[in-house]
Amino acid sequence: MKTKYSVILFVFISIVCLLSSCATVPRNPLPEKFADKAQIPHIPRAKFWGDKSPSFFKLVAGQPLEKLKRQFHGVFGKEHTYLALSGGGADGAFGAGLLVGWSDAGTRPEFTIVTGISTGAIMAPFAFLGPAYDDKLEEMYTKYSTKDLVTERYILSALLGSSVVDTAPMKKMLVKYINQGLMEAIGAEYKKGRRLYVATTNIDAKRSVIWNIGLIAISGQPEALRLIRKIILASAAIPAIFPPVVFEVEADGKRYDEMHVDGGAASQVFLYPADLDWKYVLEKFEVKGTPRAYVVRNSPLNPDWETVHPKILSIADESISSLIRTQGIGDMYRIYLDCKRDGIEFNLAYIPDEFDMKPKEDFDPVYMGKLFELGYEMAKNGYPWEKAPPGF
């Protein structure tokens, strides 16, 4: 989704070399040689690269059958359904409405795996926990405006700092909704074998990072809840617009930091690493029937025609918008091909072209309310899921 902040992103890129010495984010950066070793202290396997299947997966899948049955009793020998929620900013109201309408239709399944990026990361925990949390989804995506989520910095502070806005209001919102009870509920589902994953982008490595939220929830670490909130905040941290989020990691017995930004900087939507042998997973877990994957794209498929003024900021704005859109379509192609390869039924939802309302601000509650209603009604009446991305 385009915002007024994207038009000034070009300005940041142009002056970053002049102002880099004034950055306000303290750094004790992780050396590249430890990139594959670094983990969150006391929570090993909390994260892994999004473009590479985790090594511990093979250890889990290689366990004796009886142990797998006990460890994954909620998903072993049952049907599997996966949900992937894309980025999209305020357009996430569409996905939120779709989920609530799906619940009211009485056909929404319990998802074996839920993944989320950016705005999809915000709604993912509630989608994971099911219809009992639908009221929270509706509230988050219809009751908040721009001023409730971000505070604009003075221009000098923005230029000398790491972001255009301060996300302190958004942090307060996450404290309200991502609470101890929700974390414990996620942990209980994790113990059954269900999985919740959120992606961020390690800006130093320029690679996607996938976080195992359920594992963090059951870690017993006093900082677990705060870490989950930080991960979700990082997943939605639009580069240069929102502040980056710094995570303390440990490697070779020493502490360093990793700086993470919006998961959408590396991918708009994800299901699982492409090199993961999912057919083996299905066989090992004796999955019943044909697994189903539902991909919710919180934006339209087709480009929005707009006459561009021959000015540098307008050109930069539309170019960034085009890049985000085409990246998202490429992600859908990848997921579709992975599903075809692995014997998974593919289903796609997206904002229809007929919805042409324009927001009056970046997070316009009236616009988001209408988009929520659209997603709700479409799902309540039986959403017409596409079985392939455009062109297939």
Side-chain angles (χ1 to χ4, degrees):
M1 186 184 88
K2 291 186 295 181
T3 71
K4 69 177 181 179
Y5 297 126
S6 63
V7 302
I8 59 177
L9 182 57
F10 178 82
V11 177
F12 269 74
I13 295 172
S14 301
I15 64 176
V16 67
C17 293
L18 295 176
L19 299 177
S20 59
S21 61
C22 301
T24 60
V25 178
R27 299 280 340 246
N28 176 28
L30 177 76
E32 183 179 359
K33 64 181 179 180
F34 295 138
D36 292 335
K37 296 181 179 180
Q39 281 295 341
I40 299 298
H42 310 300
I43 314 179
R45 304 188 304 278
K47 65 184 181 72
F48 55 92
W49 294 119
D51 54 9
K52 182 180 179 182
S53 56
S55 58
F56 63 81
F57 170 80
K58 295 180 180 179
L59 297 176
V60 172
Q63 291 177 357
L65 191 60
E66 290 305 316
K67 186 174 181 180
L68 278 180
K69 287 182 179 180
R70 292 194 303 271
Q71 188 174 353
F72 295 89
H73 63 90
V75 302
F76 191 96
K78 299 182 179 181
E79 294 182 348
H80 276 202
T81 308
Y82 315 125
L83 176 67
L85 300 166
S86 83
D91 284 352
F94 171 76
L98 186 151
L99 286 164
V100 176
W102 202 353
S103 296
D104 288 352
T107 56
R108 177 174 158 186
E110 179 180 84
F111 300 110
T112 314
I113 296 174
V114 175
T115 72
I117 283 181
S118 198
T119 194
I122 295 174
M123 71 177 75
F126 307 95
F128 179 74
L129 292 176
Y133 289 79
D134 283 353
D135 59 327
K136 306 299 183 186
L137 269 178
E138 182 172 2
E139 187 174 305
M140 285 192 296
Y141 281 92
T142 61
K143 303 300 183 183
Y144 288 85
S145 63
T146 308
K147 64 180 177 61
D148 298 317
L149 299 173
V150 298
T151 303
E152 292 189 31
R153 299 182 188 273
Y154 292 111
I155 186 64
L156 183 60
S157 297
L159 293 177
L160 295 179
S162 59
S163 64
V164 176
V165 301
D166 181 358
T167 51
M170 184 178 290
K171 291 177 183 178
K172 290 182 179 179
M173 184 191 78
L174 291 177
V175 168
K176 176 181 178 180
Y177 293 103
I178 310 297
N179 53 37
Q180 184 70 26
L182 181 132
M183 184 179 75
E184 290 175 358
I186 291 172
E189 295 305 311
Y190 176 84
K191 291 178 180 178
K192 297 177 184 178
R194 298 177 62 218
R195 294 294 182 261
L196 171 62
Y197 297 116
V198 166
T200 61
T201 299
N202 180 321
I203 198 62
D204 292 318
K206 302 171 186 63
R207 293 172 68 184
S208 175
V209 173
I210 298 176
W211 298 80
N212 190 338
I213 303 300
L215 177 65
I216 297 170
I218 67 162
S219 68
Q221 294 301 310
E223 290 294 303
L225 180 57
R226 181 171 175 269
L227 175 59
I228 291 172
R229 291 172 182 155
K230 285 183 66 176
I231 292 166
I232 293 173
L233 182 67
S235 186
I238 306 168
I241 307 303
F242 289 11
V245 177
V246 175
F247 295 92
E248 184 180 55
V249 296
E250 189 173 52
D252 203 30
K254 296 182 180 180
R255 299 290 177 93
Y256 302 97
D257 72 56
E258 291 180 350
M259 191 162 68
H260 290 234
V261 297
D262 195 326
S267 176
Q268 291 296 309
V269 64
F270 75 101
L271 190 55
Y272 52 81
D275 70 337
L276 200 157
D277 186 355
W278 203 257
K279 281 187 177 181
Y280 177 72
V281 175
L282 301 179
E283 294 172 0
K284 191 73 177 180
F285 285 78
E286 299 181 5
V287 175
K288 302 300 182 184
T290 301
R292 292 165 294 166
Y294 292 92
V295 179
V296 178
R297 175 177 165 84
N298 291 300
S299 59
L301 277 182
N302 295 317
D304 180 21
W305 179 278
E306 186 171 337
T307 301
V308 179
H309 297 289
K311 301 293 184 180
I312 192 167
L313 292 182
S314 295
I315 294 170
D317 181 29
E318 296 303 323
S319 297
I320 292 170
S321 177
S322 177
L323 177 63
I324 292 172
R325 172 187 164 273
T326 52
Q327 179 198 39
I329 291 177
D331 292 331
M332 285 190 302
Y333 287 163
R334 186 191 67 251
I335 293 175
Y336 173 74
L337 292 173
D338 288 345
C339 286
K340 294 292 286 185
R341 178 195 66 191
D342 298 331
I344 300 172
E345 178 190 304
F346 178 89
N347 297 274
L348 172 66
Y350 54 88
I351 299 175
D353 293 337
E354 292 74 23
F355 184 80
D356 56 3
M357 183 178 179
K358 303 295 182 183
K360 294 183 178 180
E361 56 179 296
D362 296 294
F363 296 94
D364 179 352
V366 175
Y367 169 86
M368 294 169 70
K370 292 294 184 182
L371 200 50
F372 181 94
E373 290 176 10
L374 173 65
Y376 176 89
E377 290 299 330
M378 293 184 74
K380 181 70 165 56
N381 296 322
Y383 192 88
W385 296 92
E386 298 283 348
K387 298 303 179 180
F392 280 89

